[in-house]
Amino acid sequence: MITAFAGVGVAGARKLAVGKAYLLRQEPTFSSEPVERPEAELRRLDAALDAARSHLEGVRHSIPANTPAHIAEFIDTHLLMLTDSALVDATRDLIRERHVNAGLALKLQRDILVQVFDEMDDPYLSTRRDDVDHVVRQILVFLGNLEQQQRDVTNDPVDGHVVVTDDLTPADAILLRQRGVAAFVTEHGGPMSHTAILARSLDIPAVMGVHRATEMLRHGEQLVVNAETGTILATSEPEALEFFRRRLRSAESYRRSLKQLLARPSTSRDGVPVVLLANLELPEDSATAQENGASGVGLYRTEFLYLNHTRAPSEDEHLENYLGILNALNGLPLTIRTLDLGLDKNIQYLSERLPPLTNPALGLRAIRLCLKEPELFLPQLRAILRASAAGPVRLMIPMISTLNEVDTLLRLIQTTKRMLRSQGLAFDPLMPIGGMIEVPAAALMAESLARRLDFLSIGTNDLIQYTLAIDRLDDSVSYLYEPLHPAILRLIHHVIEAAAKTRTRVSMCGEMAGDARYTRLLLGLGLREFSMQPGSLLEVKAIVRDSDIGALVRTMDELMPRIDDISPQSLLDRLAEAT
């Protein structure tokens, strides 16, 4: 008998796993009995905080040196939160004032903070909600409110197992990876949650948003996890298990063979060159990009510069950061995306200056914030221009929705150039300026945007979210997140055609670009420049080299007029047949 479950797949280079289920139940228990000695509960809380801190520091020190830097950033963030007054001091106040035990006080304060984040409809804030939840869970383990299993999980024999749980903290995910876990299945979370980001970065196949997974799956039963399709099969049939184990061995062999492509060109069978670039979160990620054969950086996210400071970063801090990456890239091009923050990010030095928003996802963020707050933006703009004197730099503007925004920004850039000249500071006067296509309005106006800009880059994560009106982090609607929706394909096709018509470079830097299932489709639509997580580069390169792009283009030309009536799988099947 085979039982199937569905969720949201999160796949890096590894997409399939077969292993026994390891159920990790994390439901905490609390006593509501009033305490007679709050001082004792305060001491328990402090001891749990110290223990949680030691635990996280231990995880931090155990991270291998070649691990992507943003993984350690998750742990650093949680270490900082252990001293956050909104969490710790407020919990102490609850113990003193309401005479509740430390665990219940922590839970009550957690609920208050999470409610604040839940009321702000924004993808990033949902990840901050996860941070609060994960840090509280770490503390509850040492207060005794969570099962001992949670504390001991890293000592259990999870090697080759599929961990099934309601959620995972970043620290647990890192430790479980080090202990050889085969895959994760979680009840909560979506493709942009911290657990999903970690799963991709650590190359652990995962299926998330499987409601009641810890109730429906049994500890020790055999599971087949397909992170590409987001499905889980529970089966004890030997033939079925052997079938998937053969597939797994074949996939592992294929992954090892991809290393042979490092020195080979990214050119299709019919001789069409395709540019494959990397997305970077942090400067340290440039080494991973080069190890996987990236031709440069198509997207460098600069938000961490702002998030990790108690004040806005200075021009020199920006410049030092960009020059460090340029040096590491050894002459490869670097595309710097300007600040893509909004007031939703809970940055104190921003929130002190600007009023709160009712809907941050549609409010003052990205280019809108930069144009409204030039004091915040100009140091970055000047630093990007100055960095262009040291190497091939491109500037990319996020979340464009009007031509007026572009025109205003271009005037600001010209003014900044005049200032730099008058100060005797060097820059590349021809530094390319590009814009991200992330909202339907920008996609529909792509030709006008292309006439003003040097390049376009399609940000599919937001483009899909805004076009289909779904919150990617809400697992109750995440099933609607469909990159192959006809409306999405029409918008992408329109942008690529507009770029071709105006002879403007166009790339794609969203998750879709690094998903090998869609490579032939995008080649058929005319895309010739992809930017993705470094771990996906070789797999996409293999498909490029195995493709007849002329045949793919002809197939898509035939299919696009009736794309509304073609199912996603039929579309992919037709493209596979075309090569």
Side-chain angles (χ1 to χ4, degrees), residues 21-92:
Y22 182 101
L23 262 63
L24 180 59
R25 300 184 187 281
Q26 302 191 70
E27 193 61 32
T29 56
F30 303 98
S31 168
S32 58
E33 290 292 320
V35 298
E36 296 181 0
R37 299 173 57 218
E39 297 78 11
E41 291 303 306
L42 291 170
R43 287 195 293 274
R44 284 186 64 231
L45 176 63
D46 288 341
L49 288 167
D50 289 342
R53 186 176 301 107
S54 296
H55 172 71
L56 289 175
E57 287 172 346
V59 174
R60 181 71 168 80
H61 291 310
S62 71
I63 296 174
N66 60 351
T67 303
H70 67 273
I71 291 176
E73 292 282 343
F74 284 123
I75 306 300
D76 291 339
T77 300
H78 288 194
L79 280 165
L80 283 173
M81 290 178 68
L82 289 173
T83 61
D84 192 323
S85 61
L87 178 66
V88 178
D89 292 348
T91 299
R92 289 194 176 104

Side-chain angles (χ1 to χ4, degrees), residues 24 80 183 243 376 427 562:
L24 180 59
L80 283 173
F243 170 78
L376 179 75
F427 64 89
R562 49 191 179 88

Side-chain angles (χ1 to χ4, degrees), residues 302-375:
T302 58
E303 286 71 63
F304 276 100
L305 283 167
Y306 295 83
L307 293 170
N308 294 334
H309 287 74
T310 55
R311 53 169 175 74
S314 69
E315 179 180 330
D316 286 344
E317 287 169 329
H318 278 291
L319 183 59
E320 181 182 3
N321 183 277
Y322 306 148
L323 292 179
I325 301 176
L326 279 173
N327 289 335
L329 289 176
N330 294 316
L332 296 177
L334 169 64
T335 306
I336 302 174
R337 184 177 73 181
T338 57
L339 173 63
D340 189 13
L341 284 180
L343 296 181
D344 52 285
K345 301 297 192 293
N346 197 27
I347 300 173
Q348 187 172 357
Y349 60 82
L350 279 182
S351 56
E352 288 174 349
R353 297 166 57 164
L354 298 166
L357 301 178
T358 55
N359 190 341
L362 303 178
L364 191 62
R365 54 172 293 200
I367 186 175
R368 303 170 185 179
L369 177 65
C370 291
L371 294 179
K372 183 173 177 59
E373 293 292 314
E375 291 180 8

Side-chain angles (χ1 to χ4, degrees), residues 256-553:
R256 288 193 295 274
S257 72
L258 290 178
K259 289 293 181 184
Q260 300 172 6
L261 299 179
L262 273 173
R264 298 180 184 175
S266 178
T267 305
S268 68
R269 287 209 322 266
D270 53 338
V272 180
V274 176
V275 179
L276 299 182
L277 305 167
N279 295 343
L280 299 190
E281 296 276 355
L282 292 167
E284 294 87 339
D285 296 338
S286 60
T288 310
Q290 292 180 78
E291 288 169 5
N292 286 279
S295 301
V297 174
L299 167 63
Y300 171 47
R301 299 181 175 95
T302 58
E303 286 71 63
F304 276 100
L305 283 167
Y306 295 83
L307 293 170
N308 294 334
H309 287 74
T310 55
R311 53 169 175 74
S314 69
E315 179 180 330
D316 286 344
E317 287 169 329
H318 278 291
L319 183 59
E320 181 182 3
N321 183 277
Y322 306 148
L323 292 179
I325 301 176
L326 279 173
N327 289 335
L329 289 176
N330 294 316
L332 296 177
L334 169 64
T335 306
I336 302 174
R337 184 177 73 181
T338 57
L339 173 63
D340 189 13
L341 284 180
L343 296 181
D344 52 285
K345 301 297 192 293
N346 197 27
I347 300 173
Q348 187 172 357
Y349 60 82
L350 279 182
S351 56
E352 288 174 349
R353 297 166 57 164
L354 298 166
L357 301 178
T358 55
N359 190 341
L362 303 178
L364 191 62
R365 54 172 293 200
I367 186 175
R368 303 170 185 179
L369 177 65
C370 291
L371 294 179
K372 183 173 177 59
E373 293 292 314
E375 291 180 8
L376 179 75
F377 181 48
L378 278 176
Q380 179 177 43
L381 183 54
R382 284 173 58 92
I384 293 173
L385 279 163
R386 291 175 63 188
S388 70
V393 170
R394 305 195 305 176
L395 181 149
M396 188 160 71
I397 314 160
M399 205 180 174
I400 295 170
S401 58
T402 74
L403 295 177
N404 184 54
E405 288 172 335
V406 175
D407 293 339
T408 303
L409 184 74
L410 293 178
R411 286 195 297 271
L412 185 60
I413 291 173
Q414 290 305 319
T415 302
T416 307
K417 287 180 177 179
R418 286 195 293 273
M419 292 172 61
L420 292 175
R421 280 195 194 93
S422 68
Q423 295 168 335
L425 296 171
F427 64 89
D428 175 7
L430 301 178
M431 179 184 74
I433 311 294
M436 289 188 71
I437 306 298
E438 299 179 277
V439 300
L444 294 171
M445 296 192 312
E447 185 173 332
S448 297
L449 290 169
R451 294 189 189 284
R452 287 165 163 81
L453 296 166
D454 299 305
F455 67 94
L456 302 177
S457 185
I458 305 171
T460 51
N461 301 353
D462 276 340
L463 182 61
I464 295 170
Q465 176 171 248
Y466 287 126
T467 303
L468 303 182
I470 55 167
D471 180 350
R472 287 173 289 156
L473 297 178
D474 185 343
D475 56 23
S476 63
V477 295
S478 58
Y479 70 95
L480 293 169
Y481 188 83
E482 175 51 83
L484 300 185
H485 190 291
I488 303 300
L489 298 184
R490 289 186 190 283
L491 289 174
I492 292 172
H493 192 215
H494 180 76
V495 174
I496 293 172
E497 284 193 324
K501 188 175 181 181
T502 56
R503 297 181 181 276
T504 305
R505 289 181 65 173
V506 60
S507 65
M508 178 178 288
C509 58
E511 292 288 334
M512 197 173 174
D515 192 326
R517 291 175 297 175
Y518 308 135
T519 304
R520 291 188 180 90
L521 166 71
L522 297 172
L523 291 171
L525 287 173
L527 191 70
R528 300 291 178 265
E529 190 168 308
F530 297 64
S531 189
M532 65 197 79
Q533 295 291 330
S536 300
L537 282 162
L538 290 177
E539 189 173 9
V540 171
K541 186 177 192 177
I543 294 175
V544 169
R545 289 178 54 83
D546 191 41
S547 295
D548 181 331
I549 290 182
L552 291 174
V553 170

Side-chain angles (χ1 to χ4, degrees), residues 15-329:
K15 299 173 175 58
L16 186 68
V18 179
K20 291 183 178 178
Y22 182 101
L23 262 63
L24 180 59
R25 300 184 187 281
Q26 302 191 70
E27 193 61 32
T29 56
F30 303 98
S31 168
S32 58
E33 290 292 320
V35 298
E36 296 181 0
R37 299 173 57 218
E39 297 78 11
E41 291 303 306
L42 291 170
R43 287 195 293 274
R44 284 186 64 231
L45 176 63
D46 288 341
L49 288 167
D50 289 342
R53 186 176 301 107
S54 296
H55 172 71
L56 289 175
E57 287 172 346
V59 174
R60 181 71 168 80
H61 291 310
S62 71
I63 296 174
N66 60 351
T67 303
H70 67 273
I71 291 176
E73 292 282 343
F74 284 123
I75 306 300
D76 291 339
T77 300
H78 288 194
L79 280 165
L80 283 173
M81 290 178 68
L82 289 173
T83 61
D84 192 323
S85 61
L87 178 66
V88 178
D89 292 348
T91 299
R92 289 194 176 104
D93 291 342
L94 285 170
I95 294 173
R96 293 190 192 96
E97 295 166 7
R98 298 176 60 174
H99 284 219
V100 293
N101 63 64
L104 183 56
L106 191 62
K107 188 259 184 190
L108 293 172
Q109 185 57 24
R110 172 259 179 213
D111 292 347
I112 292 170
L113 294 174
V114 165
Q115 183 178 356
V116 172
F117 289 129
D118 283 347
E119 290 174 353
M120 300 180 186
D121 182 21
D122 178 86
Y124 180 81
L125 279 180
S126 292
T127 66
R128 298 303 301 269
R129 177 195 192 283
D130 290 347
D131 284 329
V132 173
D133 221 14
H134 290 159
V135 170
V136 166
R137 284 178 176 277
Q138 293 283 351
I139 304 169
L140 289 176
V141 167
F142 295 99
L143 280 171
N145 296 91
L146 274 172
E147 293 181 11
Q148 186 71 14
Q149 182 188 22
Q150 166 73 3
R151 189 190 306 195
D152 294 340
V153 65
T154 55
N155 295 321
D156 280 2
V158 295
D159 183 25
H161 283 65
V162 176
V163 167
V164 181
T165 182
D166 58 346
D167 196 5
L168 276 179
T169 69
D172 286 338
I174 292 168
L175 289 173
L176 288 168
R177 179 68 180 93
Q178 291 172 355
R179 292 190 60 78
V181 68
F184 295 148
V185 174
T186 65
E187 294 185 349
H188 304 297
M192 296 304 292
S193 68
H194 278 175
T195 307
I197 293 168
L198 274 169
R200 274 192 291 268
S201 298
L202 297 168
D203 202 14
I204 306 171
V207 177
M208 312 186 70
V210 185
H211 298 169
R212 299 175 60 201
T214 58
E215 296 176 34
M216 295 186 293
L217 296 171
R218 298 193 306 275
H219 188 82
E221 72 177 327
Q222 290 284 355
L223 301 182
V224 177
V225 177
N226 189 332
E228 191 169 53
T229 60
T231 55
I232 305 153
L233 303 180
T235 178
S236 58
E237 294 184 7
E239 290 183 357
L241 289 169
E242 182 52 31
F243 170 78
F244 285 109
R245 287 185 180 121
R246 281 200 302 273
R247 280 189 57 187
L248 186 59
R249 287 194 291 272
S250 175
E252 293 295 331
S253 175
Y254 175 67
R255 289 183 59 215
R256 288 193 295 274
S257 72
L258 290 178
K259 289 293 181 184
Q260 300 172 6
L261 299 179
L262 273 173
R264 298 180 184 175
S266 178
T267 305
S268 68
R269 287 209 322 266
D270 53 338
V272 180
V274 176
V275 179
L276 299 182
L277 305 167
N279 295 343
L280 299 190
E281 296 276 355
L282 292 167
E284 294 87 339
D285 296 338
S286 60
T288 310
Q290 292 180 78
E291 288 169 5
N292 286 279
S295 301
V297 174
L299 167 63
Y300 171 47
R301 299 181 175 95
T302 58
E303 286 71 63
F304 276 100
L305 283 167
Y306 295 83
L307 293 170
N308 294 334
H309 287 74
T310 55
R311 53 169 175 74
S314 69
E315 179 180 330
D316 286 344
E317 287 169 329
H318 278 291
L319 183 59
E320 181 182 3
N321 183 277
Y322 306 148
L323 292 179
I325 301 176
L326 279 173
N327 289 335
L329 289 176

